[in-house]
Amino acid sequence: MSIRIYNTLSKSMEEFTPIEAGKVRMYVCGPTVYNFIHIGNARPMIVFDTVRRYFEHKGYEVNYVSNFTDVDDKIIKAANEEGVEASVISERFIEECKKDMAGMNVRPATTHPKATEEIPEMLDMISTLIDKGHAYAAEDGTVYYRTRSFKEYGKLSHKNLDDLQGGNRELKVDGAEQKEDSLDFVLWKPKKPGEPYWDSPWCKGRPGWHIECSCMSKKYLGEEIDIHAGGEDLIFPHHENEIAQSEAANGKTFARYWMHNAFLNIDNRKMSKSLGNFFTVRDISEKYDLQVLRFFMLSAHYRSPLNFSDELMEAAKSGYERIINCVSDLSFLIGKKENSALSDEEKELLTKVSEFEKSFDDAMDDDFNTADAIAAIFELVKFANNEIKDEGRSREFLEALKGKIVELSDVCGLIVEKKEELLDSDIEALIEERQQARKNKDFARADEIRNELLEKGIVLEDTREGVKWKRA
Ligand code: AMP
Ligand code: ZN
């Protein structure tokens, strides 16, 4: 079956057809780096990393681009408070963000562009928009997008321009009096004292927020892409404005599928510092393995609001541990078994394993329903836990079970095989200790060491030439 995606643009489920066969061009709006990322920011990272992994699992080659917004009011404010350049703040938090991503097993994007490194591309696109009549420079050098010039404005957020105009009328925006129309938005703005700035044909200044994604997407993925994604708060105005910029400048459909994750709330309230219910990913890492946070995020469908609470994190922890324990039990048994081929009964049983995999794929094909996909992994774990009790099962059979659990978990980005890699020298030392114990007729200790090694996947073999070992 093919992958179906809920497209915000059409408000319906659509079958995924790539622009180029076997390839996916995907852009995910990344964080503004003025602080540690919070657990709300972690949701799109985890969700869309899982989408990427599933496409790869299905054999697609994914070009995945995700930006860092490294010039913005909040970054400038933090820099001024600390008395440093804005780039000091943004570089610091890009590095911290990458550490959190690694902890959550979110793979680095194919490219992570930064706004400040793409200014020439932005100036180019703004010039094109002016030339085509979609933008204009005001007297002070601010460049505005002429929103009404783009006839399809509102198609993503399903908003009507006149309703927007009504809602906007009361807004008191800085410099609003120089706009031709209250709907027009900023592409370039003049510098203020203490702000980073760049030269441009209109004034020394810096870009508006929306233009960076239009330019980076074009530069790294091309004028037309398959998937554009982010949190649902970005639908309007950010993504609506990106479409207006890109489609007016390039004359092509910008993105075919628009995916948006719902919000993460805490204790059923919007996350906010002032309410005291605000956690960074770093805060959570002090209490939990970040894999538990990943498991928690994937336990709900990405389009459903998700509530963060201690109870749900504890439930996620025990769910995640259930998979780890099963894999660890399987590893232990595999290490103890001599090689043996599959019996006919086992071959029959493995068809059952394919059914669990099919349920997993069906769930993921259905707009990446990770909640049901994890339920399919649990079914497989339950099946494996039952099979473990049968002492007659062959090594090959147990390996097949373990392999499938690890593989499907990996599609979700969940690391379920704890690899406490023992160094060769540690192994040799333990073997030496075991030999000594045997010489002293301390067979209990000798057995203990053998089992300890087995648990870590090291199999010992006593031969005439001495003890040999291998990794299971
Ligand atoms: P920002 O740094 O605010 O631009 O956000 C980066 C990404 O995190 C965007 O895709 C946002 O939509 C997303 N995001 C921010 N807060 C939340 C939240 N509470 N729940 C889910 N996604 C969020
Ligand atoms: Zn964006």
Side-chain angles (χ1 to χ4, degrees):
M1 215 171 53
S2 55
I3 298 175
R4 278 167 302 122
I5 298 180
Y6 180 86
N7 191 348
T8 308
L9 193 63
S10 64
K11 280 187 161 176
S12 63
M13 292 283 260
E14 292 177 24
E15 191 172 308
F16 177 74
T17 320
I19 295 169
E20 203 179 330
K23 296 196 174 163
V24 181
R25 303 176 202 165
M26 182 166 178
Y27 187 97
V28 181
C29 292
T32 307
V33 279
Y34 64 99
N35 204 337
F36 289 97
I37 56 162
H38 59 66
I39 54 175
N41 301 139
R43 191 170 191 196
M45 284 180 182
I46 291 171
V47 161
F48 298 115
D49 176 66
T50 307
V51 167
R52 172 195 197 177
R53 285 169 185 267
Y54 186 64
F55 273 119
E56 288 178 352
H57 176 65
K58 291 273 120 181
Y60 286 93
E61 191 184 303
V62 185
N63 190 348
Y64 188 98
V65 176
S66 190
N67 64 313
F68 285 118
T69 298
D70 64 347
V71 56
D72 153 279
D73 290 346
K74 290 183 195 136
I75 299 173
I76 295 168
K77 185 166 171 271
N80 289 341
E81 277 167 13
E82 232 182 81
V84 294
E85 300 273 303
S87 60
V88 172
I89 300 289
S90 59
E91 285 304 318
R92 181 192 305 158
F93 290 112
I94 286 173
E95 285 319 302
E96 297 299 348
C97 176
K98 286 183 177 168
K99 285 185 206 159
D100 288 336
M101 284 168 65
M104 298 185 293
N105 202 23
V106 168
R107 277 170 40 208
T110 317
T111 317
H112 276 294
K114 298 176 202 161
T116 56
E117 291 174 2
E118 309 290 335
I119 302 289
E121 287 75 3
M122 295 191 225
L123 297 179
D124 257 9
M125 191 177 276
I126 297 172
S127 298
T128 305
L129 289 169
I130 293 178
D131 292 348
K132 290 190 167 184
H134 290 289
Y136 57 95
E139 219 159 273
D140 68 350
T142 309
V143 183
Y144 292 101
Y145 187 94
R146 192 174 273 130
T147 301
R148 281 186 186 275
S149 73
F150 184 67
K151 295 289 165 254
E152 293 174 89
Y153 194 85
K155 68 177 173 181
L156 179 72
S157 51
H158 307 281
K159 288 185 194 292
N160 173 302
L161 275 185
D162 293 320
D163 291 347
L164 282 173
Q165 187 105 56
N168 249 354
R169 208 161 284 157
E170 305 307 319
L171 283 182
K172 290 269 173 286
V173 187
D174 235 11
E177 60 286 349
Q178 50 174 6
K179 289 190 195 181
E180 288 177 5
D181 188 298
S182 67
L183 292 174
D184 297 350
F185 60 90
V186 172
L187 297 174
W188 187 264
K189 54 186 164 192
K191 76 178 176 89
K192 288 190 192 145
E195 289 188 357
Y197 65 90
W198 291 263
D199 281 330
S200 86
W202 316 288
C203 63
K204 289 187 194 311
R206 62 185 171 102
W209 170 36
H210 316 296
I211 194 75
E212 68 182 70
C213 293
S214 282
C215 294
M216 293 166 176
S217 181
K218 178 176 177 172
K219 181 167 167 188
Y220 297 101
L221 297 169
E223 290 181 342
E224 264 189 287
I225 69 167
D226 294 297
I227 299 174
H228 197 113
E232 66 184 3
D233 58 321
L234 300 185
I235 299 173
F236 186 85
H238 186 53
H239 287 164
E240 196 71 72
N241 291 354
E242 282 187 37
I243 293 178
Q245 294 163 161
S246 297
E247 298 196 352
N250 306 329
K252 296 212 175 105
T253 301
F254 180 34
R256 290 192 177 183
Y257 304 88
W258 288 86
M259 295 178 71
H260 295 99
N261 64 273
F263 255 43
L264 176 85
N265 297 316
I266 298 187
D267 293 329
N268 293 310
R269 288 184 307 181
K270 192 172 184 291
M271 200 158 69
S272 111
K273 276 198 177 131
S274 55
L275 289 174
N277 61 345
F278 179 94
F279 297 115
T280 63
V281 169
R282 207 54 68 85
D283 294 333
I284 300 305
S285 73
E286 281 164 19
K287 199 163 165 204
Y288 294 100
D289 179 340
L290 288 180
Q291 284 285 297
V292 174
L293 183 66
R294 183 167 187 126
F295 185 98
F296 161 77
M297 296 280 186
L298 297 178
S299 62
H301 189 269
Y302 75 91
R303 282 191 292 114
S304 307
L306 180 57
N307 191 45
F308 182 93
S309 68
D310 284 343
E311 290 83 352
L312 289 173
M313 279 299 280
E314 286 301 320
K317 183 164 179 265
S318 62
Y320 174 54
E321 280 171 356
R322 200 171 345 146
I323 308 177
I324 292 185
N325 291 341
C326 175
V327 170
S328 149
D329 289 350
L330 283 164
S331 299
F332 179 72
L333 289 175
I334 289 166
K336 282 210 307 199
K337 298 256 170 187
E338 292 303 321
N339 254 335
S340 64
L342 287 176
S343 68
D344 287 343
E345 189 205 356
E346 286 174 341
K347 282 183 193 151
E348 187 63 34
L349 281 170
L350 286 183
T351 58
K352 186 103 186 102
V353 172
S354 319
E355 283 168 29
F356 295 128
E357 183 171 16
K358 187 174 177 306
S359 310
F360 178 91
D361 281 4
D362 286 349
M364 292 298 273
D365 282 343
D366 185 18
D367 194 29
F368 309 94
N369 190 336
T370 52
D372 285 0
I374 288 179
I377 298 179
F378 275 148
E379 286 299 313
L380 180 53
V381 164
K382 199 163 121 197
F383 175 79
N385 281 339
N386 206 31
E387 289 303 319
I388 284 171
K389 291 184 203 138
D390 186 336
E391 288 187 5
R393 291 291 172 230
S394 71
R395 180 181 173 125
E396 213 174 315
F397 179 71
L398 298 176
E399 274 174 347
L401 288 181
K402 177 181 151 187
K404 201 44 80 184
I405 297 172
V406 171
E407 181 193 339
L408 299 185
S409 302
D410 184 56
V411 175
C412 296
L414 293 168
I415 303 167
V416 292
E417 195 174 16
K418 288 280 170 222
K419 286 210 173 76
E420 279 177 60
E421 281 275 305
L422 274 184
L423 298 173
D424 288 9
S425 55
D426 294 338
I427 298 167
E428 309 282 5
L430 278 167
I431 291 175
E432 185 50 44
E433 197 194 324
R434 176 168 169 264
Q435 293 302 80
Q436 209 48 54
R438 289 169 107 192
K439 261 193 208 147
N440 301 340
K441 302 217 179 315
D442 184 358
F443 295 113
R445 177 64 190 144
D447 280 347
E448 205 175 88
I449 293 172
R450 186 191 187 94
N451 287 337
E452 203 180 310
L453 285 167
L454 251 184
E455 263 179 42
K456 292 183 175 148
I458 310 297
V459 188
L460 301 188
E461 204 186 333
D462 292 306
T463 71
R464 256 189 236 159
E465 292 84 39
V467 183
K468 288 190 175 160
W469 64 268
K470 62 174 187 223
R471 293 181 196 270

